[in-house]
């Protein structure tokens, strides 16, 4: 059996959490990541027949039965994941009943997965229903995006349009736009269900006055998606209330998507 501390999926979780921490997106225990793994890759590092303990998940996830995830732990700090993955991460498998998680590795101090587990698992189910390659769900509190929530209308079309205007490549990176949920109580099944409903149409969902959810095929891609949205929000906040003399026009955005051969962009979010 290979050493799990050298597993790419463990190392990459640590590096991603460190990057997010250093960017100031994940203060204290803010943020959480879940990454769906392939049984073959986990089997190189762990005995898949050995379950450390079982943890009830508190909702039904039948379509995830048998799926294995590495998930950040509740109350754990992103800044510590890279140095001590065995305490701050857990590798879990959803049992056949779809209601229980089997701990295969990690949460060494007796911990459990993030309090946002419902939103993560429900988002995985939603994303997989539209993209079977989807493997990552990431939650974070990016500073400028959060600031923007206080001063910009939370209408999805308007919010997306402003972000698209802030960097030329935004419409290429998230052509479907961003979903926006109103402020809701976090950690609940209801916010999980609302997030998952948005995840059928968007890979980025803003939790108003809280943070953001992103989904993607890889950790890199998902991180890059949130990074791009946060960059756009940063430009918006830097401009502030100064008069805007120049902007990217809607017809220019159309030229961009055409250049990149993108057809699934939200035309209804543009004013053509
Ligand atoms: O886990 O970010 O939304 C800490 C959070 C909860
Ligand atoms: Zn949060």
């Amino acid at each position: 059996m290979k050493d799990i501390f050298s597993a790419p999926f463990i190392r990459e979780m640590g590096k991603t959490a460190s990057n997010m921490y250093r960017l100031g997106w994940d203060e204290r225990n803010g943020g959480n990541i879940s990454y769906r793994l392939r049984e073959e890759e986990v089997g190189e590092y762990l005995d898949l027949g050995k379950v450390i303990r079982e943890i009830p998940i508190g909702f039904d996830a039948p379509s995830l039965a048998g799926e294995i995830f590495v998930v950040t732990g509740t109350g754990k700090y992103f800044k510590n994941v890279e140095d001590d993955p065995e305490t701050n991460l857990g590798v879990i498998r959803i049992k056949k009943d779809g209601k229980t998680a089997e701990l295969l590795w990690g949460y060494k101090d007796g911990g459990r997965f993030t309090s946002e587990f419902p939103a993560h698992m429900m988002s995985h189910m939603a994303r997989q229903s539209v993209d079977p390659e989807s493997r990552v769900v990431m939650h974070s509190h990016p500073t400028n995006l959060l600031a923007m929530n206080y001063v910009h209308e939370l209408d999805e079309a308007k919010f997306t349009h402003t972000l698209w205007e802030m960097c030329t490549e935004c419409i290429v990176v998230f052509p479907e736009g961003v979903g926006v949920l109103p402020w809701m109580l976090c950690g609940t099944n209801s916010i999980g269900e609302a997030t998952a409903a948005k995840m059928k149409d968007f890979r980025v969902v803003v939790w108003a006055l809280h943070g953001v959810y992103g989904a993607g095929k890889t950790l890199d891609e998902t991180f890059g998606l949130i990074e791009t949205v946060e960059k756009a929000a940063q430009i918006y906040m830097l401009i502030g209330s100064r008069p805007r003399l120049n902007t990217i026009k809607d017809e220019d955005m159309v030229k961009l998507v055409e250049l990149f051969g993108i057809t699934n962009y939200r035309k209804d979010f543009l004013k053509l």
Side-chain angles (χ1 to χ4, degrees):
M1 202 72 68
K2 292 195 210 165
D3 176 14
I4 181 126
F5 291 95
S6 68
F9 55 86
I10 296 295
R11 294 178 61 94
E12 217 190 328
M13 284 287 284
K15 282 188 179 155
T16 306
S18 292
N19 281 334
M20 294 169 82
Y21 171 69
R22 276 193 291 268
L23 286 164
W25 301 354
D26 296 281
E27 72 293 340
R28 199 174 180 272
N29 64 321
N32 23 76
I33 309 174
S34 59
Y35 177 16
R36 187 165 61 96
L37 305 172
R38 293 178 180 82
E39 199 176 85
E40 316 82 76
E41 69 182 328
V42 185
E44 290 180 35
Y45 301 92
L46 292 176
D47 176 355
L48 296 173
K50 215 165 126 189
V51 175
I52 299 170
R53 58 191 153 96
E54 293 192 350
I55 311 173
I57 66 176
F59 56 93
D60 287 341
S63 66
L64 295 178
E67 295 282 4
I68 302 174
F69 296 86
V70 56
V71 188
T72 51
T74 183
K76 298 296 187 267
Y77 293 17
F78 267 27
K79 75 182 177 65
N80 299 332
V81 176
E82 196 168 10
D83 281 347
D84 185 5
E86 197 173 359
T87 303
N88 295 288
L89 298 177
V91 175
I92 55 131
R93 179 174 54 208
I94 308 295
K95 222 172 144 172
K96 279 194 191 69
D97 64 3
K99 298 172 193 296
T100 316
E102 298 172 314
L103 180 64
L104 302 176
W105 182 81
Y107 304 145
K108 199 174 63 172
D109 60 355
R112 50 183 282 140
F113 34 72
T114 167
S115 59
E116 301 295 2
F117 199 66
H120 277 258
M121 293 302 120
M122 292 178 193
S123 294
H124 277 289
M125 290 191 267
R127 285 310 305 163
Q128 273 172 252
S129 71
V130 290
D131 175 10
E133 295 290 300
S134 185
R135 295 195 167 270
V136 175
V137 173
M138 210 177 257
H139 167 59
S140 185
H141 305 159
T143 315
N144 292 284
L145 185 61
L146 196 43
M148 185 171 163
N149 281 201
Y150 289 82
V151 296
H152 194 286
E153 276 181 80
L154 294 173
D155 171 82
E156 255 157 27
K158 290 180 185 163
F159 201 88
T160 297
H161 190 267
T162 299
L163 292 171
W164 280 349
E165 280 179 306
M166 294 298 121
C167 306
T168 291
E169 297 195 350
C170 274
I171 194 166
V172 176
V173 177
F174 49 98
E176 78 272 44
V178 302
V180 181
L181 286 181
W183 187 91
M184 289 178 77
L185 190 61
C186 54
T188 60
N189 286 352
S190 335
I191 200 169
E193 285 154 11
T195 309
K198 291 283 179 203
M199 281 278 179
K200 293 210 164 143
D201 296 320
F202 305 100
R203 289 167 300 149
V204 178
V205 179
V206 171
W207 278 12
L209 315 174
H210 180 141
V212 68
Y213 265 74
K217 295 178 174 47
T218 64
L219 284 167
D220 244 11
E221 184 194 87
T222 315
F223 176 85
L225 184 61
I226 295 178
E227 191 181 25
T228 309
V229 170
E230 169 60 1
K231 175 69 177 272
Q234 184 179 14
I235 308 292
Y236 178 77
M237 294 310 296
L238 278 172
I239 296 168
S241 50
R242 277 175 287 185
R244 207 186 294 178
L245 303 182
N246 308 296
T247 199
I248 303 167
K249 298 186 191 73
D250 287 20
E251 54 263 39
D252 297 332
M253 293 189 206
V254 173
K255 285 182 203 153
L256 274 158
V257 289
E258 282 173 356
L259 177 70
F260 284 89
I262 294 165
T263 51
N264 66 337
Y265 68 103
R266 285 295 292 260
K267 282 192 192 67
D268 56 323
F269 287 0
L270 292 175
K271 290 170 236 107
L272 294 167

